[in-house]
Amino acid sequence: SPPATFDGLLQRTLNCSRYAKRALEMDQTLLDWLHENYATPCNRAEMVALLQQTGLDLLDEGGLSRAVRVLRKQVMVKLILRDINGLADLNEVMHAMTALAEICIQQAQTCLTQALQTQFGTPLGETNAIPQELLIIGMGKLGGGELNVSSDIDLIFVYPEDGETDGSKKLSNHEFF
Protein backbone atom coordinates (compact mmCIF):
# COMPACT_ATOMS: atom_id res chain seq x y z
CA SER A 1 0.00 0.00 0.00
CA PRO A 2 1.22 3.55 -0.69
CA PRO A 3 2.85 5.59 2.07
CA ALA A 4 0.34 7.92 3.77
CA THR A 5 2.49 11.06 4.02
CA PHE A 6 3.88 13.32 1.32
CA ASP A 7 7.40 12.57 2.59
CA GLY A 8 6.80 8.85 2.12
CA LEU A 9 5.34 9.36 -1.35
CA LEU A 10 8.24 11.63 -2.27
CA GLN A 11 10.86 9.17 -1.03
CA ARG A 12 9.36 6.32 -3.06
CA THR A 13 9.29 8.62 -6.12
CA LEU A 14 12.92 9.69 -5.67
CA ASN A 15 13.97 6.05 -5.28
CA CYS A 16 12.12 4.95 -8.42
CA SER A 17 12.61 7.84 -10.87
CA ARG A 18 15.93 9.41 -11.79
CA TYR A 19 14.07 12.06 -13.81
CA ALA A 20 11.94 13.14 -10.82
CA LYS A 21 14.96 12.99 -8.50
CA ARG A 22 17.02 15.30 -10.72
CA ALA A 23 14.14 17.69 -11.38
CA LEU A 24 13.16 18.01 -7.72
CA GLU A 25 16.71 18.27 -6.39
CA MET A 26 17.42 21.15 -8.79
CA ASP A 27 14.19 23.10 -8.23
CA GLN A 28 12.88 23.87 -4.74
CA THR A 29 9.95 25.77 -6.24
CA LEU A 30 8.89 22.63 -8.11
CA LEU A 31 9.13 20.57 -4.92
CA ASP A 32 7.04 23.12 -3.01
CA TRP A 33 4.44 23.17 -5.80
CA LEU A 34 4.33 19.36 -5.89
CA HIS A 35 3.81 19.22 -2.12
CA GLU A 36 0.81 21.54 -2.44
CA ASN A 37 -0.70 19.85 -5.52
CA TYR A 38 0.18 16.14 -5.56
CA ALA A 39 -3.16 14.96 -4.14
CA THR A 40 -5.31 16.20 -7.03
CA PRO A 41 -5.39 14.46 -10.41
CA CYS A 42 -3.54 16.05 -13.33
CA ASN A 43 -6.06 17.66 -15.67
CA ARG A 44 -6.36 20.10 -18.56
CA ALA A 45 -7.66 23.02 -16.48
CA GLU A 46 -4.70 22.80 -14.11
CA MET A 47 -2.27 22.72 -17.04
CA VAL A 48 -3.81 25.76 -18.72
CA ALA A 49 -3.66 27.65 -15.42
CA LEU A 50 -0.03 26.61 -14.85
CA LEU A 51 0.93 27.79 -18.33
CA GLN A 52 -0.67 31.19 -17.69
CA GLN A 53 0.98 31.44 -14.25
CA THR A 54 4.49 31.28 -15.69
CA GLY A 55 4.14 34.98 -16.48
CA LEU A 56 5.95 34.41 -19.77
CA ASP A 57 4.73 35.83 -23.08
CA LEU A 58 3.01 32.87 -24.75
CA LEU A 59 2.86 34.76 -28.06
CA ASP A 60 6.66 35.04 -28.16
CA GLU A 61 8.33 31.87 -29.43
CA GLY A 62 11.10 32.01 -26.80
CA GLY A 63 8.65 32.73 -23.97
CA LEU A 64 6.34 29.95 -25.09
CA SER A 65 9.23 27.51 -25.34
CA ARG A 66 10.32 28.28 -21.76
CA ALA A 67 6.73 28.14 -20.44
CA VAL A 68 6.11 24.76 -22.09
CA ARG A 69 9.31 23.31 -20.60
CA VAL A 70 8.23 24.47 -17.12
CA LEU A 71 4.74 23.04 -17.64
CA ARG A 72 6.07 19.73 -18.94
CA LYS A 73 8.34 19.33 -15.92
CA GLN A 74 5.48 20.05 -13.50
CA VAL A 75 3.11 17.63 -15.20
CA MET A 76 5.70 14.88 -15.55
CA VAL A 77 6.90 15.06 -11.94
CA LYS A 78 3.35 15.13 -10.61
CA LEU A 79 2.29 12.21 -12.80
CA ILE A 80 5.38 10.22 -11.84
CA LEU A 81 4.71 10.70 -8.12
CA ARG A 82 1.02 9.90 -8.50
CA ASP A 83 1.62 6.87 -10.73
CA ILE A 84 4.46 5.30 -8.73
CA ASN A 85 2.47 5.64 -5.52
CA GLY A 86 -0.80 4.28 -6.89
CA LEU A 87 -2.62 7.64 -6.75
CA ALA A 88 -3.18 7.83 -10.52
CA ASP A 89 -4.66 5.15 -12.72
CA LEU A 90 -3.75 4.55 -16.36
CA ASN A 91 -6.70 6.66 -17.47
CA GLU A 92 -5.37 9.72 -15.61
CA VAL A 93 -1.90 9.27 -17.08
CA MET A 94 -3.21 8.93 -20.64
CA HIS A 95 -5.63 11.86 -20.36
CA ALA A 96 -3.01 14.10 -18.76
CA MET A 97 -0.37 13.32 -21.38
CA THR A 98 -2.91 13.82 -24.17
CA ALA A 99 -4.02 17.15 -22.66
CA LEU A 100 -0.39 18.27 -22.32
CA ALA A 101 0.30 17.51 -25.99
CA GLU A 102 -2.91 19.21 -27.16
CA ILE A 103 -2.26 22.33 -25.09
CA CYS A 104 1.29 22.60 -26.39
CA ILE A 105 0.16 22.14 -30.00
CA GLN A 106 -2.61 24.75 -29.63
CA GLN A 107 -0.29 27.27 -28.01
CA ALA A 108 2.39 26.75 -30.67
CA GLN A 109 -0.17 27.16 -33.44
CA THR A 110 -1.51 30.39 -31.90
CA CYS A 111 1.98 31.81 -31.39
CA LEU A 112 3.28 30.98 -34.86
CA THR A 113 0.09 31.99 -36.68
CA GLN A 114 0.18 35.41 -35.04
CA ALA A 115 3.85 35.89 -35.88
CA LEU A 116 3.29 34.92 -39.52
CA GLN A 117 0.16 37.09 -39.83
CA THR A 118 2.10 40.08 -38.51
CA GLN A 119 4.70 39.56 -41.21
CA PHE A 120 2.60 38.39 -44.18
CA GLY A 121 -1.07 39.08 -43.42
CA THR A 122 -3.98 36.68 -43.18
CA PRO A 123 -4.16 33.70 -45.55
CA LEU A 124 -7.29 34.02 -47.69
CA GLY A 125 -9.06 31.44 -49.84
CA GLU A 126 -8.76 31.96 -53.58
CA THR A 127 -12.46 31.39 -54.34
CA ASN A 128 -14.09 33.87 -51.96
CA ALA A 129 -11.28 35.52 -49.93
CA ILE A 130 -12.43 33.94 -46.64
CA PRO A 131 -9.67 33.75 -44.01
CA GLN A 132 -8.14 30.26 -43.90
CA GLU A 133 -7.10 28.40 -40.78
CA LEU A 134 -4.67 25.55 -40.34
CA LEU A 135 -6.31 22.43 -38.95
CA ILE A 136 -4.11 20.05 -36.98
CA ILE A 137 -5.29 16.46 -36.74
CA GLY A 138 -3.80 14.23 -34.05
CA MET A 139 -3.43 10.65 -35.22
CA GLY A 140 -2.89 7.39 -33.35
CA LYS A 141 -2.65 7.57 -29.57
CA LEU A 142 -3.05 11.36 -29.54
CA GLY A 143 -6.24 11.20 -31.60
CA GLY A 144 -7.53 8.43 -29.35
CA GLY A 145 -6.63 10.25 -26.11
CA GLU A 146 -4.24 7.45 -25.15
CA LEU A 147 -0.77 9.03 -24.95
CA ASN A 148 1.60 7.70 -22.33
CA VAL A 149 4.76 9.35 -21.01
CA SER A 150 6.95 7.88 -23.76
CA SER A 151 4.58 8.32 -26.71
CA ASP A 152 5.47 10.34 -29.75
CA ILE A 153 2.76 12.14 -31.68
CA ASP A 154 1.73 11.95 -35.30
CA LEU A 155 0.10 15.04 -36.78
CA ILE A 156 -1.53 15.86 -40.09
CA PHE A 157 -1.75 19.52 -41.13
CA VAL A 158 -4.52 20.63 -43.50
CA TYR A 159 -6.09 23.88 -44.64
CA PRO A 160 -9.32 24.41 -46.58
CA GLU A 161 -8.12 25.97 -49.82
CA ASP A 162 -5.28 27.53 -51.76
CA GLY A 163 -4.88 31.27 -52.00
CA GLU A 164 -2.46 33.81 -50.61
CA THR A 165 -1.99 36.18 -47.71
CA ASP A 166 -3.31 39.73 -47.81
CA GLY A 167 -0.19 41.47 -46.47
CA SER A 168 2.25 43.72 -48.29
CA LYS A 169 4.62 40.73 -48.47
CA LYS A 170 2.48 37.93 -49.87
CA LEU A 171 2.86 34.19 -49.36
CA SER A 172 0.83 31.39 -50.86
CA ASN A 173 -1.36 29.63 -48.30
CA HIS A 174 0.80 26.54 -48.84
CA GLU A 175 3.94 28.50 -47.85
CA PHE A 176 2.14 30.20 -44.95
CA PHE A 177 0.89 26.97 -43.44
Side-chain angles (χ1 to χ4, degrees), residues 150-169:
S150 62
S151 294
D152 63 348
I153 59 174
D154 299 306
L155 303 173
I156 295 177
F157 301 93
V158 297
Y159 55 94
E161 65 181 279
D162 287 329
E164 65 181 15
T165 60
D166 63 0
S168 57
K169 288 174 68 178

Side-chain angles (χ1 to χ4, degrees), residues 29-75:
T29 304
L30 178 60
L31 179 59
D32 295 341
W33 174 83
L34 183 62
H35 190 196
E36 292 173 21
N37 294 281
Y38 77 92
T40 58
C42 286
N43 63 57
R44 179 180 304 273
E46 177 185 52
M47 290 179 217
V48 170
L50 288 170
L51 198 56
Q52 299 298 322
Q53 290 168 11
T54 63
L56 295 165
D57 182 359
L58 302 180
L59 294 176
D60 170 73
E61 198 171 340
L64 177 60
S65 181
R66 286 188 297 283
V68 164
R69 282 194 302 273
V70 169
L71 175 63
R72 180 182 180 277
K73 191 185 305 182
Q74 287 175 292
V75 170

Side-chain angles (χ1 to χ4, degrees), residues 87-99:
L87 301 175
D89 61 10
L90 180 60
N91 206 33
E92 179 183 333
V93 173
M94 290 188 310
H95 285 177
M97 293 309 300
T98 300

